Amino acid sequence: MSKLKIAIQKSGRLSEKSLELLKDCGIKISTSNRKLRTESPNFPIEVLFLRDDDIPQYVEQGVADIGILGENEVWEKDKNVAQIRQLGFAGCKLCLAIPKDEIYTDLSYFQDKKIATSYPRILGKFFQEKGINVKIEEIGGSVEIAPSIGLANAIFDIVSTGSTLLTNGLKQVETVVESQAVLISNKNLDAEKQAIVDRLLFRIEAVKQSSENKYILLNAPNEKLEEIIALLPGMKSPTVLPLAEKGWSSIHTVIKEDTFWDIIEQLKALGAEGILVLEIEKMIL
Ligand code: ATP
Ligand code: MG
């Protein structure tokens, strides 16, 4: 039986979370020895550890079948690969920054300016669409020092907290795109490999759903049951069980993490008691 080859970052900001995702999907990966490829003992997958820059090309060529990397690298490399699912980690923004004493009005500030970046393609496309002419200076790293050494007037780079900008006398003036980790795939997988991708995606879905949802249990007075149930969306409808104490019921359901606090407050106001909120390990819809 063939194995699916998945490329993940060897070492860097994506490595740990990529391995964690596979682990949460029940896929065992041994990372003890510093091997650059390893097979899972319990899932038909082989992991290749690579530099993130190389992943789009390898997936396009079929050296790897699928890969995990930042959308920013996928857009910049612009290879012929399929983007199959955002993964919700390694979030970051690609921003334009200028020396902090400069007065900034709008994008026209950048007309005929020189901008240093490691993402020339994304930046070039952005300004082309805006009809603004800029000079792009491509550099591999340490982009933030470019203005202070006279290499460029501005920079375009990944910003997470902005503290690196500040220490280099820069300020962020525009966010061009937001990026997160994504799963990409070769466009010509055979049926057998596609079936393994589908199995993997099914598991990823269950892991992601579980992290976005909570299991909630509460006790409610029977006269308020209807109102309380109306507040709880749930997967289907909530489970309602009678309590030993007369006139009370126990309600069990699943709610979205982001609506959680709102709902809890309303439930309490309606007389709900003994509210328990539990983590869900896996969730299959
Ligand atoms: P490699 O050696 O594999 O080429 P790298 O130095 O290019 O690694 P990292 O710095 O490990 O890459 O970042 C990998 C990805 O993590 C980025 O491309 C981006 O998608 C994401 N990321 C999230 N937050 C940040 C951040 N604060 N700075 C840089 N990258 C970030
Ligand atoms: Mg890289």
Side-chain angles (χ1 to χ4, degrees), residues 75-166:
W75 298 326
E76 183 59 31
K77 295 297 184 291
D78 199 23
K79 298 290 181 190
N80 188 23
V81 296
Q83 297 184 42
I84 45 181
R85 197 195 195 283
Q86 290 182 321
L87 298 172
F89 62 86
C92 58
K93 298 183 291 184
L94 279 95
C95 299
L96 284 158
I98 62 173
K100 68 175 189 322
D101 297 331
E102 290 279 307
I103 295 162
Y104 183 77
T105 46
D106 55 37
L107 280 177
S108 64
Y109 171 91
F110 291 101
Q111 180 69 41
D112 298 324
K113 292 272 196 318
K114 207 177 194 185
I115 309 173
T117 187
S118 311
Y119 298 95
R121 191 190 297 261
I122 296 174
L123 186 64
K125 231 170 135 183
F126 174 73
F127 277 114
Q128 195 183 10
E129 277 165 16
K130 302 282 177 196
I132 294 168
N133 183 54
V134 297
K135 296 193 199 78
I136 297 176
E137 189 71 38
E138 181 176 356
I139 52 177
S142 305
V143 176
E144 302 86 358
I145 69 163
S148 65
I149 59 173
L151 184 68
N153 310 106
I155 67 158
F156 173 63
D157 202 7
I158 293 179
V159 173
S160 46
T161 62
S163 61
T164 317
L165 290 182
L166 227 61

XYZ file of all heavy atoms in Angstrom, residues 75-166:
714
model
N 1.770 31.975 -1.118
C 1.492 33.088 -2.033
C 2.774 33.575 -2.698
O 2.816 33.854 -3.886
C 0.841 34.260 -1.285
C -0.486 33.934 -0.676
C -1.424 33.083 -1.198
C -1.028 34.426 0.552
N -2.523 33.030 -0.356
C -2.307 33.840 0.711
C -0.565 35.310 1.537
C -3.122 34.105 1.814
C -1.381 35.581 2.623
C -2.640 34.986 2.762
N 3.841 33.676 -1.898
C 5.082 34.227 -2.439
C 5.687 33.298 -3.489
O 6.134 33.733 -4.533
C 6.088 34.469 -1.297
C 7.400 35.109 -1.734
C 7.212 36.465 -2.418
O 6.267 37.183 -2.076
O 8.022 36.791 -3.313
N 5.644 31.998 -3.219
C 6.269 31.058 -4.158
C 5.370 30.846 -5.382
O 5.848 30.546 -6.458
C 6.568 29.718 -3.471
C 7.611 29.813 -2.353
C 8.961 30.251 -2.880
C 10.058 30.272 -1.830
N 9.908 31.311 -0.806
N 4.064 30.992 -5.201
C 3.095 30.947 -6.303
C 3.252 29.711 -7.195
O 3.267 29.804 -8.413
C 3.252 32.234 -7.142
C 2.013 32.487 -7.997
O 0.936 31.976 -7.652
O 2.139 33.174 -9.031
N 3.382 28.552 -6.560
C 3.509 27.301 -7.318
C 2.124 26.743 -7.630
O 1.136 27.143 -7.027
C 4.314 26.270 -6.510
C 5.724 26.704 -6.202
C 6.573 26.721 -7.446
C 7.988 27.145 -7.113
N 8.775 27.406 -8.318
N 2.098 25.773 -8.526
C 0.832 25.182 -8.929
C 0.433 24.061 -7.961
O 0.633 22.880 -8.227
C 0.966 24.656 -10.361
C -0.366 24.214 -10.914
O -1.424 24.646 -10.456
N -0.322 23.316 -11.887
N -0.091 24.463 -6.805
C -0.505 23.499 -5.780
C -1.917 23.855 -5.317
O -2.369 24.980 -5.519
C 0.442 23.513 -4.545
C 1.836 23.068 -4.929
C 0.479 24.896 -3.887
N -2.601 22.899 -4.693
C -3.947 23.181 -4.179
C -3.864 23.539 -2.698
O -3.170 22.863 -1.934
C -4.820 21.945 -4.374
N -4.537 24.611 -2.306
C -4.594 24.959 -0.873
C -5.841 24.302 -0.325
O -6.943 24.686 -0.669
C -4.665 26.473 -0.698
C -3.411 27.164 -1.240
C -3.421 28.671 -0.997
O -3.790 29.137 0.062
N -3.002 29.424 -2.001
N -5.659 23.287 0.539
C -6.858 22.533 0.926
C -7.487 22.914 2.254
O -8.683 22.771 2.406
C -6.691 21.004 0.820
C -5.384 20.526 1.407
C -6.806 20.538 -0.591
C -5.203 19.022 1.276
N -6.727 23.400 3.184
C -7.389 23.785 4.433
C -6.520 24.705 5.277
O -5.343 24.433 5.475
C -7.708 22.541 5.273
C -8.742 22.829 6.345
C -8.769 21.724 7.392
N -9.962 21.790 8.204
C -10.159 22.676 9.195
N -9.254 23.599 9.475
N -11.271 22.639 9.904
N -7.123 25.784 5.778
C -6.411 26.619 6.745
C -6.375 25.862 8.062
O -7.317 25.148 8.399
C -7.142 27.947 6.929
C -7.044 28.845 5.698
C -7.737 30.179 5.917
O -8.785 30.225 6.540
N -7.163 31.233 5.379
N -5.272 26.037 8.813
C -5.108 25.209 9.999
C -5.227 25.979 11.311
O -5.184 25.392 12.388
C -3.761 24.466 9.929
C -3.646 23.514 8.730
C -2.238 22.961 8.603
C -4.660 22.371 8.846
N -5.340 27.294 11.221
C -5.640 28.067 12.423
C -4.483 28.319 13.376
O -4.685 28.804 14.476
N -3.256 27.980 12.986
C -2.126 28.348 13.858
C -1.090 29.135 13.056
O -1.246 29.328 11.859
C -1.519 27.124 14.556
C -0.932 26.072 13.646
C 0.376 26.170 13.186
C -1.683 24.966 13.276
C 0.920 25.196 12.359
C -1.147 23.980 12.456
C 0.160 24.100 11.996
N -0.046 29.614 13.751
C 1.013 30.434 13.125
C 0.438 31.670 12.415
O 0.859 32.022 11.326
C 1.871 29.607 12.168
N -0.509 32.298 13.072
C -1.097 33.516 12.514
C -0.109 34.666 12.539
O 0.654 34.814 13.499
N -0.073 35.457 11.483
C 0.785 36.641 11.446
C 0.280 37.599 10.375
O -0.593 37.245 9.587
C 2.246 36.261 11.198
S 2.514 35.354 9.675
N 0.822 38.807 10.403
C 0.414 39.818 9.425
C 1.622 40.249 8.615
O 2.726 40.323 9.153
C -0.138 41.055 10.145
C -1.371 40.780 10.969
C -1.911 42.060 11.583
C -0.982 42.612 12.650
N -1.502 43.807 13.342
N 1.409 40.536 7.345
C 2.480 41.126 6.543
C 2.186 42.614 6.405
O 1.132 42.991 5.887
C 2.577 40.460 5.171
C 3.348 39.142 5.209
C 2.399 37.994 5.351
C 4.195 38.967 3.980
N 3.114 43.410 6.910
C 2.839 44.841 7.053
C 3.889 45.708 6.391
O 5.044 45.307 6.220
C 2.821 45.209 8.534
S 1.552 44.345 9.450
N 3.473 46.921 6.069
C 4.395 47.957 5.610
C 4.760 48.812 6.812
O 3.894 49.178 7.610
C 3.717 48.832 4.555
C 3.587 48.197 3.168
C 2.476 48.874 2.371
C 4.919 48.267 2.408
N 6.052 49.124 6.943
C 6.501 49.968 8.049
C 7.475 51.016 7.525
O 8.204 50.763 6.562
C 7.157 49.121 9.132
N 7.459 52.164 8.173
C 8.319 53.278 7.736
C 9.021 53.869 8.969
O 8.613 53.585 10.099
C 7.493 54.378 7.025
C 6.449 54.994 7.989
C 6.785 53.813 5.790
C 5.711 56.200 7.409
N 10.067 54.677 8.780
C 10.740 55.293 9.933
C 9.721 56.050 10.789
O 8.832 56.721 10.257
C 11.745 56.253 9.279
C 12.055 55.611 7.964
C 10.764 54.995 7.512
N 9.854 55.938 12.106
C 8.765 56.387 12.987
C 8.527 57.891 12.982
O 7.449 58.344 13.350
C 8.951 55.853 14.408
C 10.113 56.407 15.190
C 10.051 55.852 16.611
C 11.031 56.482 17.578
N 12.363 56.809 17.066
N 9.509 58.686 12.565
C 9.305 60.140 12.538
C 8.650 60.645 11.252
O 8.310 61.822 11.139
C 10.640 60.869 12.760
C 11.203 60.547 14.138
O 10.396 60.281 15.048
O 12.451 60.531 14.289
N 8.499 59.770 10.286
C 7.867 60.170 9.020
C 6.371 60.422 9.229
O 5.736 59.771 10.065
C 8.016 59.037 7.989
C 9.422 58.840 7.492
C 9.787 59.836 6.399
O 9.043 59.928 5.414
O 10.823 60.522 6.569
N 5.833 61.350 8.461
C 4.378 61.582 8.524
C 3.719 60.720 7.453
O 4.096 60.782 6.282
C 4.050 63.065 8.296
C 4.642 63.887 9.451
C 2.536 63.281 8.190
C 4.773 65.357 9.155
N 2.756 59.888 7.890
C 2.099 58.989 6.951
C 0.647 59.400 6.734
O -0.081 59.662 7.682
C 2.135 57.552 7.491
C 1.544 56.567 6.521
C 2.263 56.158 5.407
C 0.257 56.071 6.706
C 1.713 55.262 4.495
C -0.293 55.175 5.799
C 0.446 54.774 4.703
O -0.100 53.897 3.804
N 0.256 59.485 5.476
C -1.137 59.811 5.188
C -1.871 58.586 4.646
O -2.751 58.023 5.285
C -1.230 60.943 4.150
O -0.321 60.640 3.076
C -0.886 62.274 4.783
N -1.461 58.139 3.468
C -2.077 56.952 2.872
C -1.061 56.259 1.970
O 0.107 56.658 1.923
C -3.342 57.330 2.101
C -3.064 58.396 1.056
O -1.978 58.365 0.430
O -3.923 59.282 0.869
N -1.545 55.252 1.209
C -0.631 54.436 0.399
C 0.187 55.242 -0.614
O 1.281 54.813 -1.010
C -1.417 53.345 -0.328
C -1.779 52.103 0.475
C -2.615 51.167 -0.376
C -0.512 51.388 0.958
N -0.326 56.410 -1.018
C 0.412 57.208 -2.014
C 1.773 57.657 -1.463
O 2.663 58.030 -2.222
C -0.414 58.418 -2.456
O -0.603 59.275 -1.353
N 1.924 57.567 -0.135
C 3.222 57.836 0.509
C 4.326 57.014 -0.169
O 5.461 57.458 -0.296
C 3.140 57.465 1.995
C 4.467 57.487 2.721
C 4.920 58.631 3.363
C 5.286 56.344 2.758
C 6.145 58.648 4.025
C 6.500 56.351 3.421
C 6.929 57.505 4.050
O 8.135 57.512 4.693
N 3.954 55.801 -0.596
C 4.975 54.875 -1.102
C 5.360 55.109 -2.567
O 6.275 54.459 -3.069
C 4.501 53.426 -0.908
C 4.458 53.023 0.535
C 3.258 53.001 1.238
C 5.619 52.681 1.219
C 3.212 52.648 2.578
C 5.589 52.327 2.560
C 4.377 52.310 3.239
N 4.662 56.016 -3.252
C 4.980 56.297 -4.661
C 6.480 56.572 -4.826
O 7.038 57.423 -4.133
C 4.151 57.509 -5.136
C 4.375 57.921 -6.581
C 3.837 56.889 -7.585
O 2.753 56.325 -7.401
N 4.602 56.638 -8.629
N 7.103 55.783 -5.709
C 8.540 55.904 -6.027
C 9.487 55.647 -4.850
O 10.670 55.951 -4.926
C 8.853 57.277 -6.653
C 8.103 57.454 -7.967
O 7.959 56.453 -8.706
O 7.633 58.578 -8.229
N 8.954 55.090 -3.750
C 9.819 54.763 -2.608
C 10.452 53.382 -2.827
O 9.952 52.558 -3.587
C 9.013 54.756 -1.311
C 8.504 56.134 -0.885
C 9.529 56.838 -0.037
C 9.026 58.031 0.755
N 8.130 58.957 0.146
N 11.560 53.189 -2.116
C 12.254 51.902 -2.178
C 11.860 51.088 -0.945
O 12.006 51.569 0.184
C 13.753 52.174 -2.171
C 14.591 51.128 -2.829
C 16.031 51.606 -2.800
C 16.925 50.821 -3.696
N 18.338 51.244 -3.534
N 11.357 49.868 -1.150
C 10.879 49.049 -0.030
C 11.660 47.735 0.026
O 11.732 47.006 -0.960
C 9.372 48.731 -0.180
C 8.579 50.024 -0.448
C 8.838 48.012 1.051
C 7.111 49.786 -0.777
N 12.238 47.457 1.192
C 12.993 46.207 1.364
C 12.053 45.113 1.870
O 11.227 45.356 2.753
C 14.117 46.424 2.371
N 12.181 43.914 1.329
C 11.314 42.800 1.736
C 11.865 41.443 1.319
O 12.686 41.350 0.409
C 9.895 42.959 1.126
O 9.044 41.952 1.668
C 9.919 42.847 -0.387
N 11.376 40.405 2.001
C 11.653 39.034 1.567
C 10.453 38.499 0.783
O 10.423 37.338 0.400
C 11.879 38.121 2.773
O 12.784 38.691 3.659
N 9.429 39.347 0.613
C 8.222 38.922 -0.103
C 7.946 39.817 -1.307
O 6.920 40.499 -1.381
C 7.017 38.923 0.856
C 7.203 37.944 1.990
C 7.709 38.361 3.218
C 6.922 36.597 1.807
C 7.918 37.452 4.243
C 7.122 35.689 2.822
C 7.623 36.116 4.038
O 7.835 35.219 5.050
N 8.880 39.821 -2.295
C 8.737 40.733 -3.430
C 7.495 40.464 -4.272
O 6.880 41.405 -4.778
C 10.011 40.478 -4.249
C 10.502 39.147 -3.818
C 10.116 39.013 -2.374
N 7.095 39.208 -4.405
C 5.959 38.911 -5.278
C 4.643 39.436 -4.685
O 3.855 40.084 -5.365
C 5.850 37.402 -5.519
C 4.860 37.050 -6.611
C 4.606 35.564 -6.667
N 5.789 34.805 -6.997
C 6.083 34.339 -8.208
N 5.266 34.585 -9.205
N 7.166 33.643 -8.416
N 4.441 39.149 -3.381
C 3.210 39.606 -2.722
C 3.140 41.135 -2.751
O 2.119 41.733 -3.081
C 3.156 39.104 -1.251
C 3.095 37.576 -1.208
C 1.960 39.712 -0.515
C 3.189 36.975 0.194
N 4.280 41.761 -2.450
C 4.323 43.226 -2.395
C 4.124 43.848 -3.777
O 3.359 44.804 -3.935
C 5.660 43.679 -1.800
C 5.778 45.176 -1.554
C 4.775 45.640 -0.513
C 7.196 45.545 -1.110
N 4.810 43.267 -4.778
C 4.707 43.788 -6.142
C 3.267 43.760 -6.635
O 2.770 44.726 -7.213
N 2.597 42.627 -6.369
C 1.212 42.465 -6.798
C 0.299 43.485 -6.114
O -0.575 44.080 -6.739
C 0.744 41.054 -6.419
C 0.117 40.303 -7.569
C -0.072 38.869 -7.162
C -1.433 38.348 -7.538
N -1.635 36.980 -7.076
N 0.549 43.676 -4.821
C -0.269 44.610 -4.038
C -0.198 46.029 -4.628
O -1.222 46.646 -4.903
C 0.207 44.600 -2.577
C -0.469 45.623 -1.702
C -1.791 45.447 -1.297
C 0.204 46.759 -1.269
C -2.420 46.383 -0.482
C -0.422 47.703 -0.460
C -1.733 47.512 -0.066
N 1.019 46.517 -4.851
C 1.142 47.891 -5.354
C 0.729 48.018 -6.819
O 0.239 49.051 -7.242
C 2.554 48.441 -5.120
C 2.731 48.985 -3.727
C 3.594 48.381 -2.830
C 2.000 50.093 -3.314
C 3.738 48.881 -1.534
C 2.135 50.602 -2.025
C 3.005 49.988 -1.137
N 0.897 46.945 -7.560
C 0.459 46.975 -8.959
C -1.063 47.157 -9.020
O -1.571 47.963 -9.791
C 0.859 45.671 -9.636
C 0.783 45.762 -11.151
C 1.124 44.424 -11.798
O 1.231 43.389 -11.130
N 1.286 44.448 -13.098
N -1.765 46.408 -8.147
C -3.226 46.537 -8.108
C -3.672 47.928 -7.683
O -4.716 48.414 -8.104
C -3.828 45.495 -7.153
C -3.994 44.148 -7.820
C -4.230 43.017 -6.815
O -4.566 43.309 -5.645
O -4.055 41.842 -7.212
N -2.856 48.558 -6.828
C -3.207 49.912 -6.363
C -2.760 50.976 -7.369
O -3.026 52.163 -7.163
C -2.524 50.212 -5.014
C -2.856 49.239 -3.919
C -4.231 49.513 -3.333
C -4.551 48.462 -2.269
N -5.965 48.429 -1.940
N -2.010 50.579 -8.395
C -1.525 51.539 -9.376
C -0.459 52.472 -8.827
O -0.336 53.618 -9.256
N 0.296 51.971 -7.845
C 1.358 52.793 -7.259
C 2.704 52.190 -7.638
O 2.913 50.980 -7.505
C 1.205 52.859 -5.719
C -0.092 53.615 -5.365
C 2.418 53.521 -5.060
C -0.506 53.511 -3.912
N 3.595 53.033 -8.114
C 4.905 52.545 -8.528
C 5.889 52.556 -7.356
O 6.090 53.583 -6.715
C 5.434 53.427 -9.665
C 6.751 52.911 -10.181
O 6.867 51.743 -10.549
N 7.766 53.761 -10.158
N 6.472 51.395 -7.053
C 7.483 51.344 -5.983
C 8.699 50.567 -6.480
O 8.604 49.807 -7.449
C 6.937 50.643 -4.703
C 5.785 51.420 -4.100
C 6.522 49.203 -4.983
N 9.837 50.782 -5.820
C 11.020 49.980 -6.140
C 11.159 48.937 -5.034
O 11.169 49.280 -3.854
C 12.274 50.860 -6.173
C 12.241 51.905 -7.255
C 13.636 52.506 -7.434
C 13.579 53.843 -8.135
N 13.171 54.981 -7.260
N 11.246 47.670 -5.437
C 11.330 46.614 -4.432
C 12.757 46.088 -4.333
O 13.360 45.703 -5.330
C 10.342 45.474 -4.766
C 8.908 46.034 -4.708
C 10.508 44.313 -3.792
C 7.833 45.044 -5.100
N 13.281 46.112 -3.112
C 14.640 45.634 -2.841
C 14.489 44.296 -2.116
O 14.097 44.252 -0.954
C 15.329 46.673 -1.941
C 16.800 46.470 -1.720
C 17.647 46.768 -2.955
O 17.327 47.723 -3.684
O 18.615 46.011 -3.172
N 14.809 43.207 -2.828
C 14.621 41.890 -2.190
C 15.810 41.545 -1.309
O 16.952 41.543 -1.771
C 14.456 40.807 -3.264
C 14.240 39.441 -2.638
C 13.963 38.350 -3.656
O 13.867 38.650 -4.855
O 13.841 37.183 -3.228
N 15.552 41.263 -0.036
C 16.615 40.770 0.838
C 16.128 39.561 1.615
O 14.934 39.378 1.837
C 17.184 41.854 1.790
C 16.077 42.557 2.577
C 18.002 42.874 1.032
C 16.626 43.576 3.569
N 17.071 38.722 2.039
C 16.721 37.427 2.615
C 16.253 37.481 4.056
O 15.435 36.686 4.491
N 16.775 38.430 4.839
C 16.398 38.481 6.249
C 16.841 39.800 6.863
O 17.370 40.665 6.151
N 16.625 39.961 8.171
C 16.960 41.213 8.877
C 16.476 42.433 8.109
O 17.179 43.442 7.987
C 18.469 41.336 9.101
O 18.940 40.215 9.777
N 15.260 42.333 7.625
C 14.675 43.385 6.795
C 14.563 44.707 7.564
O 14.727 45.786 6.997
C 13.283 42.925 6.297
C 12.580 44.009 5.513
C 13.427 41.673 5.440
N 14.339 44.612 8.877
C 14.069 45.824 9.678
C 15.210 46.823 9.685
O 15.010 47.995 9.978
C 13.759 45.463 11.149
C 12.587 44.538 11.341
C 12.982 43.081 11.233
O 14.175 42.781 10.976
O 12.093 42.230 11.375
N 16.431 46.370 9.431
C 17.526 47.349 9.509
C 17.720 48.097 8.190
O 18.454 49.083 8.133
C 18.887 46.745 9.987
C 19.481 45.814 8.942
C 18.743 46.045 11.315
C 20.971 45.565 9.206
N 17.025 47.671 7.138
C 17.239 48.272 5.812
C 17.114 49.807 5.797
O 17.989 50.475 5.240
C 16.302 47.634 4.792
N 16.073 50.405 6.411
C 15.983 51.872 6.362
C 17.150 52.559 7.087
O 17.713 53.529 6.572
C 14.653 52.176 7.051
C 13.853 50.934 6.868
C 14.856 49.814 6.977
N 17.547 52.032 8.251
C 18.588 52.730 9.021
C 19.964 52.624 8.371
O 20.837 53.444 8.646
C 18.627 52.206 10.462
O 19.023 50.855 10.462
N 20.179 51.643 7.499
C 21.481 51.574 6.813
C 21.402 52.169 5.409
O 22.340 52.057 4.622
C 22.043 50.129 6.761
C 21.072 49.188 6.033
C 22.354 49.602 8.160
C 21.618 47.784 5.800
N 20.269 52.786 5.103
C 20.146 53.502 3.834
C 19.846 52.632 2.626
O 19.974 53.059 1.487
N 19.421 51.389 2.884
C 19.126 50.490 1.777
C 17.741 50.736 1.191
O 17.491 50.464 0.020
C 19.239 49.046 2.285
C 19.062 47.928 1.260
C 20.218 47.918 0.277
C 18.946 46.571 1.949
N 16.821 51.223 2.026
C 15.445 51.416 1.566
C 14.761 52.488 2.404
O 15.249 52.845 3.476
C 14.671 50.098 1.676
N 13.621 53.002 1.896
C 12.840 53.996 2.648
C 11.848 53.343 3.594
O 11.374 53.964 4.546
C 12.013 54.876 1.702
C 12.840 55.439 0.574
O 12.731 54.992 -0.559
N 13.686 56.404 0.897
N 11.498 52.097 3.293
C 10.445 51.429 4.059
C 10.683 49.930 3.990
O 11.554 49.460 3.240
C 9.086 51.767 3.452
N 9.912 49.188 4.775
C 10.019 47.724 4.704
C 8.635 47.084 4.613
O 7.632 47.680 5.000
C 10.768 47.115 5.925
C 9.949 47.313 7.220
C 12.155 47.708 6.074
C 10.334 46.320 8.304
N 8.637 45.849 4.114
C 7.420 45.040 4.084
C 7.809 43.690 4.662
O 8.663 42.997 4.107
C 6.939 44.897 2.640
C 5.775 43.947 2.493
C 4.560 44.218 3.112
C 5.885 42.800 1.716
C 3.474 43.353 2.970
C 4.806 41.934 1.569
C 3.599 42.214 2.200
N 7.215 43.344 5.825
C 7.677 42.132 6.508
C 6.582 41.576 7.422
O 5.551 42.212 7.621
C 8.919 42.475 7.342
C 9.769 41.243 7.646
O 9.479 40.146 7.109
O 10.732 41.374 8.428
N 6.864 40.392 7.981
C 5.953 39.790 8.956
C 6.039 40.550 10.268
O 7.130 40.822 10.755
C 6.328 38.317 9.201
C 6.080 37.492 7.942
C 5.550 37.748 10.377
C 6.435 36.028 8.083
N 4.885 40.908 10.808
C 4.860 41.581 12.107
C 3.978 40.770 13.034
O 2.872 40.379 12.659
C 4.262 43.004 11.969
C 4.066 43.636 13.338
C 5.161 43.878 11.103
N 4.463 40.449 14.227
C 3.546 39.835 15.187
C 3.273 40.794 16.338
O 2.135 41.154 16.592
C 4.041 38.466 15.657
O 5.390 38.505 15.989
N 4.303 41.263 17.033
C 4.038 42.179 18.152
C 4.412 43.626 17.830
O 3.931 44.543 18.477
C 4.847 41.776 19.405
O 6.236 41.870 19.076
C 4.502 40.380 19.838
N 5.278 43.827 16.879
C 5.682 45.188 16.552
C 6.888 45.669 17.354
O 7.387 46.764 17.129
N 7.362 44.848 18.302
C 8.472 45.317 19.136
C 9.794 45.366 18.354
O 10.633 46.221 18.606
C 8.622 44.454 20.387
O 8.884 43.130 20.018
N 9.955 44.447 17.388
C 11.166 44.492 16.554
C 11.176 45.771 15.723
O 12.219 46.395 15.528
C 11.224 43.285 15.584
O 10.850 42.119 16.301
C 12.604 43.097 15.001
N 9.999 46.171 15.251
C 9.899 47.407 14.477
C 10.360 48.576 15.330
O 11.192 49.387 14.918
C 8.446 47.649 14.044
C 7.851 46.733 12.994
C 6.438 47.163 12.661
C 8.712 46.748 11.718
N 9.790 48.631 16.531
C 10.071 49.749 17.424
C 11.551 49.882 17.746
O 12.111 50.982 17.688
C 9.266 49.565 18.718
C 8.514 50.800 19.192
C 7.495 51.252 18.137
C 7.804 50.516 20.505
